[in-house]
Amino acid sequence: MQIEKYKIEEHNQGLLKEHRRRYDFAAAGLADAEGLLGKLVEFQVAIPSWALGTGGTRFGRFSGGGEPRSLEEKIGDVGLLHALNGSSGAISLHIPWDIPKQASSIRALAAQYGLKFDAMNSNTFQDQPGQKLSYKFGSLQHVRKEVRKQAIDHNIEVIRYGEELGSKSLTVWLSDGSCFPGQLNFRQAFQNTLEGLKEIYAALPADWKMFVEYKAFEPNFYSTTVGDWGQSLLYASKLGPKAYTLVDLGHHLPNANIEQIVALLLMEGKLGGFHFNDSKYGDDDLTVGSIKPYQLFLIFNELVDGMDARAMNHATDLGWMIDASHNVKDPLEDLLQSVEAIMLTYAQALLVDRKRLVAAQQGNDVVAAQELLQGAFRTDVRALVAEARLRAGGALDPLGLYRAGKVREHLIKERGAGTVATGL
Ligand code: RM4
Ligand code: MN
Ligand code: MN
């Protein structure tokens, strides 16, 4: 299904008066409202193809119905999101969950919705039907060369699919590691993995990036072969200039200072991309900003500061992706909430008075520094983000329109109540 332009306009008309009142108030306090709006309009967050269906845990999965049955329908879903919020202009695919059988028509379909293909993701954490060798004991780290080769070949195949679609990056997340002490020779596992990554790196087109994603635990619970940002950075540094670290917010040990990690990776020019989600305990994959919004703000504060220090383009120089799973919500509603949370937080980070922050830091004025950050965090920027959405052709209240337009009901009618999307 599609949401027609006139429906969005009608919806906006009804809300416009109140919106203007709020926007004028919010913009009056800003030195450069237009500059801020321009940045917000440009900023796009990629939607993961694997998060368009209902997620689950190892205990169960409760589908909400109307899930996309094909890559075409997944693209349709992201198209809906983008029509509503104007900030979801890309999709990140996972192979083999989303093999594009006819790349040219998939590309054309995405273009119709104004979507680009963000990072391609490989999968050597599951065995696939018909696959010769098993990844039970890892993929690139594996003690057997044939298994490593199979994993390398798969990643190269993913690059080829991505090239056909116009993607420009490959995200490698490995579940490799060990569950028990003694199971693995750490150095050997690292070396094997590095060798494999080198072969994949060699197959990257000139204008591509490779993102090495780390994760502290799960599914392996004693060691992970790309377990933290240090290890990821080590691989990325040894690989070369096209390799970067990817930060997934849910992949750290509890209480890790993610904003500091981000700051240092940016300083080194080695931060490549981001997987947004939120968590209370581990890789919970909850809605962005739902549990620790201040932490998200502190991370965005470092992102803006670090990117500006290197004169980077906020919108295009890093890969911005959501990586979440929705067990009890409608996935599309959850994704609308996540994108909104990202936009709000980005806007707040743009509001930080950096000159005054530097002065506070130089003067060891701890109180003033805290006031500055919390002042930005406590600013209500909802009307600013709504204005950016309006200018991008989106809806003033995406979630409201999604519900009023009975989008899920339509999708269930179209696709059926029992459909199950490929993915998590
Ligand atoms: C992993 C990791 C990867 C994602 C898979 C599905 O935990 O976050 O980024 O591709 O899940
Ligand atoms: Mn991830
Ligand atoms: Mn994850």
Side-chain angles (χ1 to χ4, degrees):
M1 90 167 270
Q2 294 220 27
I3 301 182
E4 294 90 347
K5 276 264 156 254
Y6 82 90
K7 286 215 174 117
I8 295 180
E9 275 157 26
E10 250 173 46
H11 156 93
N12 287 342
Q13 271 311 317
L15 300 175
L16 206 54
K17 199 162 162 241
E18 175 60 12
H19 166 67
R20 283 272 157 262
R21 194 183 66 77
R22 291 189 202 178
Y23 173 72
D24 290 343
F25 178 78
L30 300 180
D32 181 17
E34 287 301 314
L36 182 113
L37 285 174
K39 286 186 177 151
L40 294 178
V41 169
E42 258 184 63
F43 202 82
Q44 299 293 319
V45 183
I47 303 297
S49 66
W50 59 99
L52 296 163
T54 315
T57 69
R58 67 185 190 279
F59 300 105
R61 188 175 186 277
F62 306 96
S63 168
E67 294 188 10
R69 295 162 293 184
S70 60
L71 178 52
E72 285 81 352
E73 289 184 352
K74 287 183 175 187
I75 291 171
D77 276 12
V78 180
L80 282 171
L81 297 175
H82 192 45
L84 287 167
N85 65 19
S87 318
S88 313
I91 181 168
S92 186
L93 300 189
H94 225 303
I95 305 292
W97 295 335
D98 309 302
I99 291 181
K101 285 184 194 88
Q102 276 225 309
S104 57
S105 61
I106 290 292
R107 226 177 146 153
L109 181 68
Q112 272 175 35
Y113 291 108
L115 305 178
K116 294 197 174 123
F117 290 92
D118 211 292
M120 300 294 293
N121 300 265
S122 58
N123 181 340
T124 60
F125 49 88
Q126 289 176 324
D127 285 342
Q128 305 300 333
Q131 178 189 303
K132 265 219 207 104
L133 302 158
S134 171
Y135 295 129
K136 179 171 180 182
F137 296 107
S139 56
L140 293 183
Q141 72 169 19
H142 204 281
V143 290
R144 287 180 55 198
K145 196 167 193 292
E146 310 88 271
V147 181
R148 301 202 295 272
K149 178 156 190 325
Q150 178 178 282
I152 294 165
D153 290 347
H154 165 69
N155 273 279
I156 295 174
E157 194 191 348
V158 173
I159 296 174
R160 299 295 165 246
Y161 282 128
E163 278 188 283
E164 291 180 359
L165 294 174
S167 167
K168 293 285 174 220
S169 48
L170 170 73
T171 298
V172 181
W173 173 67
L174 303 171
S175 69
D176 294 34
S178 65
C179 270
F180 296 97
Q183 182 186 332
L184 207 64
N185 177 311
F186 295 139
R187 278 176 289 126
Q188 194 62 62
F190 184 94
Q191 293 300 347
N192 284 346
T193 303
L194 180 62
E195 286 312 309
L197 289 173
K198 276 187 182 163
E199 287 195 39
I200 299 163
Y201 185 90
L204 282 179
D207 57 346
W208 272 52
K209 295 178 181 175
M210 182 200 256
F211 300 144
V212 182
E213 182 174 1
Y214 60 88
K215 180 170 177 176
F217 61 91
E218 195 210 13
N220 276 295
F221 289 105
Y222 172 63
S223 74
T224 300
T225 301
V226 194
D228 61 19
W229 72 283
Q231 291 167 56
S232 167
L233 181 60
L234 207 52
Y235 289 110
S237 304
K238 287 175 188 288
L239 286 168
K242 290 190 277 181
Y244 298 84
T245 293
L246 182 136
V247 175
D248 180 316
L249 292 180
H251 287 192
H252 304 85
L253 293 174
N255 302 327
N257 189 332
I258 303 174
E259 53 270 30
Q260 189 180 15
I261 294 172
V262 165
L264 297 187
L265 283 172
L266 268 172
M267 181 183 77
E268 290 299 297
K270 278 299 198 184
L271 181 66
F274 231 85
H275 278 179
F276 292 106
N277 48 54
D278 209 345
S279 72
K280 178 82 177 153
Y281 302 104
D283 191 23
D284 307 355
D285 281 340
L286 300 174
T287 318
V288 182
S290 61
I291 307 279
K292 292 177 281 196
Y294 190 50
Q295 183 193 48
L296 184 66
F297 166 77
L298 295 175
I299 290 166
F300 257 107
N301 176 49
E302 294 302 333
L303 284 169
V304 167
D305 196 59
M307 286 189 290
D308 287 349
R310 296 179 68 92
M312 290 166 74
N313 181 314
H314 294 181
T316 53
D317 284 351
L318 293 184
W320 304 113
M321 295 161 268
I322 291 176
D323 183 4
S325 174
H326 336 279
N327 303 342
V328 295
K329 288 179 180 170
D330 174 330
L332 293 177
E333 292 195 352
D334 191 330
L335 288 162
L336 286 173
Q337 288 184 307
S338 280
V339 174
E340 177 78 0
I342 292 168
M343 298 308 290
L344 292 172
T345 315
Y346 174 47
Q348 289 171 325
L350 290 172
L351 291 185
V352 173
D353 188 332
R354 305 218 167 255
K355 278 207 188 101
R356 285 175 64 201
L357 184 60
V358 170
Q361 289 167 345
Q362 293 299 321
N364 289 316
D365 192 342
V366 185
V367 170
Q370 181 188 335
E371 287 295 308
L372 279 166
L373 290 189
Q374 291 190 333
F377 175 65
R378 289 170 178 153
T379 307
D380 185 353
V381 294
R382 287 176 296 179
L384 299 172
V385 171
E387 177 68 18
R389 243 189 338 260
L390 190 66
R391 294 190 186 189
L396 278 171
D397 176 10
L399 204 51
L401 181 53
Y402 179 88
R403 289 194 167 190
K406 296 197 185 316
V407 175
R408 180 56 61 186
E409 286 87 330
H410 278 109
L411 292 175
I412 292 176
K413 231 180 262 161
E414 236 174 74
R415 301 170 180 172
T419 56
V420 177
T422 50
L424 282 176

